[in-house]
Amino acid sequence: MIEIKNLHKSFGKNEIVRGVDVQVNKGDVVVILGPSGSGKTTFLRCLNFLERAEEGEITIDDVSVKFKQASKKDIFNIRKKIGFVFQNHNLFANKTAIENVMEGLITARKMSKKQSEEIALEALKKVGMEEKRDSYPCQLSGGQQQRVGIARAVALNPEVILFDEPTSALDPELVGETLRLIKSIAKEGITMIVVTHEISFAQDVANQVIFMADGVVVEKGEPNTFFLNPKEERTKTFLQRILPEEPMYNL
Amino acid sequence: MNIRYDQIIKTFFYSAHYVPITLLIAFVPVVLGLIFGSLIAIGRIYRVKIVSPILDFIVLFINALPGPIIILVLITVFNQGFDSFAKMLHLAIRAKNVNVIYVGILAMTIISIPALSESIRGALLSIDQGQYEAGYSVGLSKFQVLQRIVLPQAFLVLIPTLCGDVIGTLKGSSFLFIIGVMDIINSALKFATSSYCILEAYIAAALLYWLMSIFIENIFRLLEHQMGKHRRVLG
């Protein structure tokens, strides 16, 4: 179980995230929706200490860390439990696909080369990239790079994987296959928090949908209630604007 | 005007013996400059408190000085201060027993540091922030991210400018002839004094510098090719 309490984050005088609480049960897929600038990406980045939040606390299993007071060791321990998939992939440019997946295992987890290679290969198979194991990121398409990025997060076997708009930088035709991949990984019972604009993904895969605007959680609930019966006026206008007549991708 | 080609050739082969020493007084400062330059560049990029503004000032200060002034100041300080310094440390060595080449190498190191640290800083800044973040997200420390992800990529970006810096230091080291370091220029002039073929000596020295530059450029091209496997080829 993962619990985030009262997260606040400002950039200068601009308070981007203004007290967000989220609870995620083991195996759940939480999808965070919201207009641009609502603070959802910043929220996600704070969980992994890519941004330092000014206030709030994160609890994963039995480990609790206050964002502001966290020491290097606390940050390392929290990052160990969290996988991150970036919007623009961020594969290590100087490493091949398999080396990208192995890097965290060898350097951070101190695994042997042989063992980490086995795990990495397994992860690459899961995302259908084992044939490209020796390709450098520049030799891969955006969709392929994102697959390796997902394998890199999965291989570390974290408690939760955070997806920061994983399909926003992809060609429309690659969005569907990447979402299908994330869905298949979700089916294995891996806990996920996904920031996305893909409504059909939220409808289809999420156990919990969170709608953020202006740095706060406006509404949250199960997808059925959330999409069919939103309570808040702000949610209704948002959904009216973006809800497609037909699902855009067949998952 | 008569140019004596045989004198060019003779001087060329005489001065060719001083190619190793000339390369040494360029190569050692570049290696030392790379080490100090990297530390300065990293200190400035991470905006380390107190240290960073001091480094900014030092880089600006040295960068503004012409090479010959640094060389001449160093040799003057060395000639006037070395003996008493050695006495203070109870060393038997005296200034007249020290080869000026060490003063020359020190001078060239000081001269090359600002340029190299700026080249390195530029190369480091060219690496996307996402590479750091990806490193942190898989559990690497700041140092590990630098060592395993950022520096290898930055070095590839650095190679073309580094090639220019090495050749620049090589050419700049020719100023060391004013303090009497026996390099290509000094040896060519020494050889020419017996025949008064000064122009020929300069031409011979120029040819040697030309060949050394081609040699260095080719080494760097090879290095870039070897290390650039992960980089997309343009066009």
Side-chain angles (χ1 to χ4, degrees), chain A residues 18-61:
Chain A
R18 303 183 296 159
V20 169
D21 303 279
V22 172
Q23 278 183 22
V24 186
N25 290 321
K26 206 166 176 55
D28 269 6
V29 177
V30 174
V31 170
I32 304 181
L33 299 173
S36 298
S38 57
K40 44 194 200 306
T41 288
T42 306
F43 168 74
L44 210 62
R45 288 166 58 82
C46 283
L47 303 188
N48 206 15
F49 290 90
L50 294 178
E51 308 287 354
R52 184 64 88 109
E54 290 99 32
E55 225 185 300
E57 188 179 339
I58 181 168
T59 310
I60 303 182
D61 293 337

Short mmCIF file of all heavy atoms in Angstrom, two decimals, chain A residues 18-61:
data_model
loop_
_atom_site.label_atom_id
_atom_site.label_comp_id
_atom_site.label_asym_id
_atom_site.label_seq_id
_atom_site.Cartn_x
_atom_site.Cartn_y
_atom_site.Cartn_z
N ARG A 18 -0.92 21.77 -4.48
CA ARG A 18 -1.37 22.43 -3.25
C ARG A 18 -2.10 21.45 -2.33
O ARG A 18 -3.31 21.52 -2.15
CB ARG A 18 -2.28 23.60 -3.60
CG ARG A 18 -1.58 24.60 -4.53
CD ARG A 18 -2.44 25.78 -4.82
NE ARG A 18 -3.65 25.40 -5.55
CZ ARG A 18 -4.75 26.14 -5.59
NH1 ARG A 18 -4.83 27.26 -4.93
NH2 ARG A 18 -5.79 25.73 -6.30
N GLY A 19 -1.33 20.50 -1.81
CA GLY A 19 -1.92 19.58 -0.84
C GLY A 19 -2.68 18.45 -1.49
O GLY A 19 -3.90 18.45 -1.53
N VAL A 20 -1.95 17.46 -1.99
CA VAL A 20 -2.59 16.33 -2.65
C VAL A 20 -2.43 15.08 -1.79
O VAL A 20 -1.34 14.80 -1.28
CB VAL A 20 -1.98 16.10 -4.06
CG1 VAL A 20 -2.45 14.77 -4.63
CG2 VAL A 20 -2.36 17.24 -4.99
N ASP A 21 -3.52 14.35 -1.58
CA ASP A 21 -3.49 13.07 -0.89
C ASP A 21 -3.89 11.98 -1.87
O ASP A 21 -4.90 12.12 -2.55
CB ASP A 21 -4.48 13.05 0.27
CG ASP A 21 -4.22 14.17 1.26
OD1 ASP A 21 -3.33 14.00 2.09
OD2 ASP A 21 -4.90 15.21 1.15
N VAL A 22 -3.10 10.92 -1.91
CA VAL A 22 -3.46 9.79 -2.77
C VAL A 22 -3.15 8.49 -2.03
O VAL A 22 -2.12 8.37 -1.37
CB VAL A 22 -2.66 9.84 -4.10
CG1 VAL A 22 -2.89 8.57 -4.90
CG2 VAL A 22 -3.05 11.05 -4.94
N GLN A 23 -4.08 7.55 -2.15
CA GLN A 23 -3.84 6.22 -1.60
C GLN A 23 -3.94 5.20 -2.72
O GLN A 23 -4.88 5.24 -3.49
CB GLN A 23 -4.89 5.88 -0.55
CG GLN A 23 -4.56 6.46 0.81
CD GLN A 23 -5.58 6.04 1.83
OE1 GLN A 23 -6.26 5.04 1.64
NE2 GLN A 23 -5.68 6.81 2.90
N VAL A 24 -2.96 4.32 -2.77
CA VAL A 24 -2.96 3.31 -3.82
C VAL A 24 -2.82 1.94 -3.17
O VAL A 24 -1.88 1.70 -2.42
CB VAL A 24 -1.78 3.53 -4.79
CG1 VAL A 24 -1.89 2.56 -5.96
CG2 VAL A 24 -1.76 4.96 -5.30
N ASN A 25 -3.75 1.06 -3.45
CA ASN A 25 -3.65 -0.31 -2.94
C ASN A 25 -2.74 -1.13 -3.82
O ASN A 25 -2.55 -0.83 -4.99
CB ASN A 25 -5.03 -0.96 -2.88
CG ASN A 25 -5.87 -0.33 -1.80
OD1 ASN A 25 -5.39 0.00 -0.72
ND2 ASN A 25 -7.15 -0.14 -2.11
N LYS A 26 -2.19 -2.17 -3.23
CA LYS A 26 -1.28 -3.05 -3.98
C LYS A 26 -2.00 -3.62 -5.20
O LYS A 26 -3.12 -4.10 -5.11
CB LYS A 26 -0.80 -4.17 -3.07
CG LYS A 26 0.54 -4.72 -3.50
CD LYS A 26 1.14 -5.59 -2.41
CE LYS A 26 2.44 -6.22 -2.87
NZ LYS A 26 3.44 -5.29 -3.36
N GLY A 27 -1.35 -3.53 -6.36
CA GLY A 27 -1.92 -4.08 -7.57
C GLY A 27 -2.86 -3.14 -8.30
O GLY A 27 -3.32 -3.45 -9.40
N ASP A 28 -3.13 -2.01 -7.70
CA ASP A 28 -4.04 -1.04 -8.34
C ASP A 28 -3.37 -0.28 -9.48
O ASP A 28 -2.16 -0.11 -9.48
CB ASP A 28 -4.52 -0.02 -7.31
CG ASP A 28 -5.81 -0.47 -6.65
OD1 ASP A 28 -6.23 -1.61 -6.92
OD2 ASP A 28 -6.37 0.32 -5.86
N VAL A 29 -4.20 0.16 -10.41
CA VAL A 29 -3.73 1.08 -11.44
C VAL A 29 -4.49 2.39 -11.24
O VAL A 29 -5.71 2.44 -11.37
CB VAL A 29 -3.98 0.54 -12.86
CG1 VAL A 29 -3.56 1.57 -13.90
CG2 VAL A 29 -3.24 -0.76 -13.06
N VAL A 30 -3.74 3.42 -10.85
CA VAL A 30 -4.35 4.72 -10.63
C VAL A 30 -4.02 5.62 -11.82
O VAL A 30 -2.86 5.72 -12.21
CB VAL A 30 -3.81 5.37 -9.34
CG1 VAL A 30 -4.33 6.78 -9.19
CG2 VAL A 30 -4.19 4.52 -8.15
N VAL A 31 -5.05 6.19 -12.42
CA VAL A 31 -4.81 7.09 -13.55
C VAL A 31 -5.12 8.52 -13.11
O VAL A 31 -6.17 8.77 -12.52
CB VAL A 31 -5.66 6.71 -14.77
CG1 VAL A 31 -5.59 7.80 -15.84
CG2 VAL A 31 -5.19 5.38 -15.34
N ILE A 32 -4.17 9.41 -13.34
CA ILE A 32 -4.38 10.82 -13.00
C ILE A 32 -4.66 11.59 -14.28
O ILE A 32 -3.86 11.58 -15.21
CB ILE A 32 -3.15 11.42 -12.29
CG1 ILE A 32 -2.80 10.59 -11.05
CG2 ILE A 32 -3.41 12.88 -11.91
CD1 ILE A 32 -1.61 11.12 -10.27
N LEU A 33 -5.83 12.20 -14.33
CA LEU A 33 -6.21 13.03 -15.48
C LEU A 33 -6.21 14.49 -15.06
O LEU A 33 -6.25 14.80 -13.88
CB LEU A 33 -7.61 12.66 -15.96
CG LEU A 33 -7.86 11.24 -16.43
CD1 LEU A 33 -9.35 11.03 -16.69
CD2 LEU A 33 -7.06 10.94 -17.69
N GLY A 34 -6.23 15.36 -16.06
CA GLY A 34 -6.31 16.77 -15.73
C GLY A 34 -5.76 17.62 -16.85
O GLY A 34 -4.95 17.14 -17.65
N PRO A 35 -6.19 18.87 -16.91
CA PRO A 35 -5.70 19.75 -17.97
C PRO A 35 -4.21 20.04 -17.79
O PRO A 35 -3.66 19.82 -16.71
CB PRO A 35 -6.53 21.03 -17.79
CG PRO A 35 -7.05 20.98 -16.40
CD PRO A 35 -7.18 19.54 -16.04
N SER A 36 -3.56 20.54 -18.84
CA SER A 36 -2.15 20.90 -18.74
C SER A 36 -1.97 21.96 -17.66
O SER A 36 -2.82 22.84 -17.49
CB SER A 36 -1.66 21.47 -20.06
OG SER A 36 -1.77 20.50 -21.05
N GLY A 37 -0.86 21.85 -16.92
CA GLY A 37 -0.58 22.84 -15.88
C GLY A 37 -1.34 22.58 -14.60
O GLY A 37 -1.34 23.41 -13.70
N SER A 38 -1.99 21.41 -14.49
CA SER A 38 -2.75 21.14 -13.27
C SER A 38 -1.86 20.57 -12.17
O SER A 38 -2.32 20.36 -11.06
CB SER A 38 -3.89 20.17 -13.57
OG SER A 38 -3.38 18.99 -14.13
N GLY A 39 -0.60 20.30 -12.49
CA GLY A 39 0.34 19.84 -11.47
C GLY A 39 0.48 18.34 -11.39
O GLY A 39 1.14 17.83 -10.50
N LYS A 40 -0.09 17.60 -12.34
CA LYS A 40 -0.06 16.14 -12.22
C LYS A 40 1.33 15.58 -12.48
O LYS A 40 1.78 14.68 -11.76
CB LYS A 40 -1.10 15.48 -13.15
CG LYS A 40 -1.19 16.02 -14.55
CD LYS A 40 -2.44 15.53 -15.23
CE LYS A 40 -2.33 15.64 -16.75
NZ LYS A 40 -1.97 16.99 -17.24
N THR A 41 2.04 16.11 -13.46
CA THR A 41 3.40 15.65 -13.70
C THR A 41 4.31 16.03 -12.54
O THR A 41 5.13 15.22 -12.08
CB THR A 41 3.94 16.23 -15.03
OG1 THR A 41 3.28 15.58 -16.10
CG2 THR A 41 5.43 15.99 -15.17
N THR A 42 4.17 17.25 -12.04
CA THR A 42 4.99 17.70 -10.89
C THR A 42 4.73 16.80 -9.69
O THR A 42 5.68 16.40 -9.00
CB THR A 42 4.66 19.16 -10.53
OG1 THR A 42 4.82 19.95 -11.71
CG2 THR A 42 5.56 19.67 -9.44
N PHE A 43 3.46 16.47 -9.47
CA PHE A 43 3.12 15.57 -8.37
C PHE A 43 3.88 14.25 -8.50
O PHE A 43 4.52 13.78 -7.55
CB PHE A 43 1.60 15.32 -8.38
CG PHE A 43 1.16 14.19 -7.49
CD1 PHE A 43 1.14 14.36 -6.12
CD2 PHE A 43 0.78 12.97 -8.02
CE1 PHE A 43 0.75 13.32 -5.28
CE2 PHE A 43 0.40 11.93 -7.20
CZ PHE A 43 0.38 12.11 -5.82
N LEU A 44 3.85 13.69 -9.72
CA LEU A 44 4.51 12.40 -9.95
C LEU A 44 6.02 12.50 -9.72
O LEU A 44 6.63 11.63 -9.10
CB LEU A 44 4.22 11.97 -11.40
CG LEU A 44 4.16 10.49 -11.68
CD1 LEU A 44 3.04 9.86 -10.88
CD2 LEU A 44 3.93 10.25 -13.16
N ARG A 45 6.61 13.59 -10.22
CA ARG A 45 8.06 13.76 -10.10
C ARG A 45 8.48 13.95 -8.64
O ARG A 45 9.60 13.56 -8.27
CB ARG A 45 8.54 14.95 -10.95
CG ARG A 45 8.49 14.65 -12.45
CD ARG A 45 8.63 15.91 -13.27
NE ARG A 45 9.87 16.62 -12.99
CZ ARG A 45 11.04 16.30 -13.52
NH1 ARG A 45 11.11 15.33 -14.40
NH2 ARG A 45 12.11 16.97 -13.21
N CYS A 46 7.61 14.53 -7.84
CA CYS A 46 7.93 14.72 -6.41
C CYS A 46 8.04 13.38 -5.70
O CYS A 46 8.86 13.21 -4.80
CB CYS A 46 6.86 15.57 -5.73
SG CYS A 46 7.01 17.32 -6.11
N LEU A 47 7.21 12.39 -6.11
CA LEU A 47 7.22 11.09 -5.43
C LEU A 47 8.58 10.44 -5.54
O LEU A 47 9.03 9.72 -4.66
CB LEU A 47 6.16 10.17 -6.05
CG LEU A 47 4.72 10.68 -6.05
CD1 LEU A 47 3.78 9.58 -6.51
CD2 LEU A 47 4.32 11.19 -4.69
N ASN A 48 9.27 10.69 -6.66
CA ASN A 48 10.56 10.06 -6.92
C ASN A 48 11.72 10.99 -6.60
O ASN A 48 12.86 10.73 -6.95
CB ASN A 48 10.61 9.66 -8.40
CG ASN A 48 11.53 8.51 -8.64
OD1 ASN A 48 11.91 7.83 -7.72
ND2 ASN A 48 11.90 8.31 -9.89
N PHE A 49 11.41 12.13 -5.97
CA PHE A 49 12.42 13.12 -5.60
C PHE A 49 13.15 13.71 -6.81
O PHE A 49 14.28 14.17 -6.69
CB PHE A 49 13.44 12.55 -4.60
CG PHE A 49 12.85 12.30 -3.24
CD1 PHE A 49 12.28 11.08 -2.94
CD2 PHE A 49 12.84 13.29 -2.29
CE1 PHE A 49 11.72 10.85 -1.69
CE2 PHE A 49 12.28 13.07 -1.04
CZ PHE A 49 11.72 11.85 -0.74
N LEU A 50 12.52 13.66 -7.98
CA LEU A 50 13.08 14.40 -9.11
C LEU A 50 12.82 15.88 -8.89
O LEU A 50 13.54 16.74 -9.40
CB LEU A 50 12.48 13.93 -10.43
CG LEU A 50 12.84 12.51 -10.83
CD1 LEU A 50 12.16 12.11 -12.12
CD2 LEU A 50 14.34 12.33 -10.95
N GLU A 51 11.76 16.18 -8.14
CA GLU A 51 11.55 17.52 -7.58
C GLU A 51 11.44 17.33 -6.07
O GLU A 51 10.94 16.31 -5.61
CB GLU A 51 10.24 18.15 -8.09
CG GLU A 51 10.06 18.17 -9.58
CD GLU A 51 10.93 19.18 -10.27
OE1 GLU A 51 11.61 19.97 -9.57
OE2 GLU A 51 10.95 19.18 -11.51
N ARG A 52 11.91 18.35 -5.35
CA ARG A 52 11.83 18.25 -3.89
C ARG A 52 10.60 19.00 -3.40
O ARG A 52 10.52 20.22 -3.51
CB ARG A 52 13.11 18.82 -3.28
CG ARG A 52 13.20 18.68 -1.76
CD ARG A 52 13.27 17.22 -1.32
NE ARG A 52 14.63 16.72 -1.29
CZ ARG A 52 15.30 16.44 -0.17
NH1 ARG A 52 14.72 16.59 1.00
NH2 ARG A 52 16.53 16.00 -0.23
N ALA A 53 9.60 18.24 -2.88
CA ALA A 53 8.38 18.87 -2.37
C ALA A 53 8.68 19.57 -1.05
O ALA A 53 9.56 19.16 -0.31
CB ALA A 53 7.30 17.82 -2.17
N GLU A 54 7.93 20.64 -0.76
CA GLU A 54 8.19 21.40 0.48
C GLU A 54 7.47 20.78 1.67
O GLU A 54 7.84 21.03 2.82
CB GLU A 54 7.70 22.84 0.35
CG GLU A 54 8.52 23.70 -0.59
CD GLU A 54 7.87 23.81 -1.94
OE1 GLU A 54 6.63 23.79 -1.99
OE2 GLU A 54 8.59 23.92 -2.94
N GLU A 55 6.40 20.05 1.38
CA GLU A 55 5.61 19.54 2.48
C GLU A 55 5.03 18.21 2.05
O GLU A 55 4.80 17.98 0.86
CB GLU A 55 4.48 20.53 2.78
CG GLU A 55 4.28 20.83 4.24
CD GLU A 55 3.07 21.72 4.44
OE1 GLU A 55 3.08 22.84 3.90
OE2 GLU A 55 2.13 21.28 5.11
N GLY A 56 4.75 17.36 3.03
CA GLY A 56 4.10 16.11 2.70
C GLY A 56 4.92 14.91 3.08
O GLY A 56 6.07 15.03 3.52
N GLU A 57 4.31 13.75 2.90
CA GLU A 57 4.91 12.53 3.38
C GLU A 57 4.51 11.39 2.45
O GLU A 57 3.38 11.36 1.94
CB GLU A 57 4.38 12.27 4.79
CG GLU A 57 5.04 11.14 5.51
CD GLU A 57 4.46 10.97 6.92
OE1 GLU A 57 3.88 11.94 7.44
OE2 GLU A 57 4.56 9.87 7.45
N ILE A 58 5.43 10.49 2.20
CA ILE A 58 5.10 9.31 1.40
C ILE A 58 5.36 8.06 2.23
O ILE A 58 6.37 7.98 2.94
CB ILE A 58 5.89 9.27 0.06
CG1 ILE A 58 5.48 8.04 -0.75
CG2 ILE A 58 7.40 9.29 0.28
CD1 ILE A 58 5.97 8.07 -2.18
N THR A 59 4.44 7.13 2.17
CA THR A 59 4.59 5.86 2.87
C THR A 59 4.45 4.73 1.87
O THR A 59 3.45 4.65 1.16
CB THR A 59 3.52 5.69 3.96
OG1 THR A 59 3.50 6.87 4.76
CG2 THR A 59 3.82 4.49 4.84
N ILE A 60 5.48 3.91 1.76
CA ILE A 60 5.40 2.72 0.93
C ILE A 60 5.63 1.53 1.84
O ILE A 60 6.69 1.43 2.46
CB ILE A 60 6.43 2.74 -0.22
CG1 ILE A 60 6.24 3.99 -1.07
CG2 ILE A 60 6.29 1.48 -1.07
CD1 ILE A 60 7.17 4.08 -2.26
N ASP A 61 4.66 0.63 1.90
CA ASP A 61 4.68 -0.47 2.87
C ASP A 61 4.87 0.12 4.26
O ASP A 61 4.04 0.86 4.71
CB ASP A 61 5.79 -1.47 2.53
CG ASP A 61 5.48 -2.19 1.23
OD1 ASP A 61 4.29 -2.25 0.86
OD2 ASP A 61 6.41 -2.68 0.58
#
